[in-house]
Amino acid sequence: MPENTVTAPLAPMEPDDIAAAFAYIRALQADDIEAACAVVDGMGTEVLKMLLDVAARVFIPVTAVDEYDGEPCEHSFLAAALGRLLLELLCDGACLSGAPGIAETIIRFTENILTEDHGDVADVLRQLEAAGMKQAMEAHPVHRTTA
């Protein structure tokens, strides 16, 4: 991850990549190992890259608190550093670097940070997927031809 991940916008993912990555994450969240295996088999060799892209889109906006009352403060830098550290752990940490480890970390982050009182994690994951899909569709519009 580049040092300026917090300030640089993330490049949009491909719509198919978002759909596949979230299908895998949601299958693991639902403890549907058979479905998770089927999804990951279809993702090919790019599975880790796709999951890390999703992780960046989940962690960075939440931890990138740029300012407080118009001025950066120590908490802003701490939160941003925490988000980058979490991504580095997913990239380099032996215990978290596989597809299940990345997906489970996204699920736990969603449960503990993005939901109130450990609410409906599946619903929040669907919202995150919809936001990512919207960005992807705007960046990669489907060209339709009429006959």
Side-chain angles (χ1 to χ4, degrees), residues 57-127:
R57 282 159 179 71
V58 173
F59 303 155
I60 295 300
V62 173
T63 59
V65 179
D66 291 329
E67 54 188 47
Y68 177 76
D69 286 336
E71 294 293 323
C73 66
E74 65 273 4
H75 297 106
S76 302
F77 299 111
L78 178 61
L82 179 61
R84 285 193 307 272
L85 177 63
L86 188 53
L87 285 173
E88 286 177 27
L89 283 171
L90 292 178
C91 290
D92 301 328
C95 62
L96 297 177
S97 62
I102 296 168
E104 290 292 337
T105 301
I106 293 168
I107 293 164
R108 284 191 304 269
F109 186 88
T110 302
E111 179 180 24
N112 291 305
I113 305 295
L114 301 180
T115 61
E116 292 184 27
D117 299 322
H118 304 288
D120 188 359
V121 174
D123 184 50
V124 174
L125 290 172
R126 282 189 293 276
Q127 291 173 31

Side-chain angles (χ1 to χ4, degrees), residues 3-102:
E3 291 281 337
N4 62 351
T5 301
V6 172
T7 57
L10 298 165
M13 292 177 68
E14 293 287 334
D16 290 344
D17 293 348
I18 290 176
F22 274 98
Y24 177 72
I25 293 165
R26 283 193 319 275
L28 281 184
Q29 194 267 330
D31 290 326
D32 189 345
I33 303 304
E34 188 174 313
C37 289
V39 171
V40 83
D41 286 345
M43 292 172 80
T45 59
E46 295 293 310
V47 63
L48 294 179
K49 181 187 177 307
M50 286 185 245
L51 290 170
L52 287 170
D53 282 350
V54 167
R57 282 159 179 71
V58 173
F59 303 155
I60 295 300
V62 173
T63 59
V65 179
D66 291 329
E67 54 188 47
Y68 177 76
D69 286 336
E71 294 293 323
C73 66
E74 65 273 4
H75 297 106
S76 302
F77 299 111
L78 178 61
L82 179 61
R84 285 193 307 272
L85 177 63
L86 188 53
L87 285 173
E88 286 177 27
L89 283 171
L90 292 178
C91 290
D92 301 328
C95 62
L96 297 177
S97 62
I102 296 168

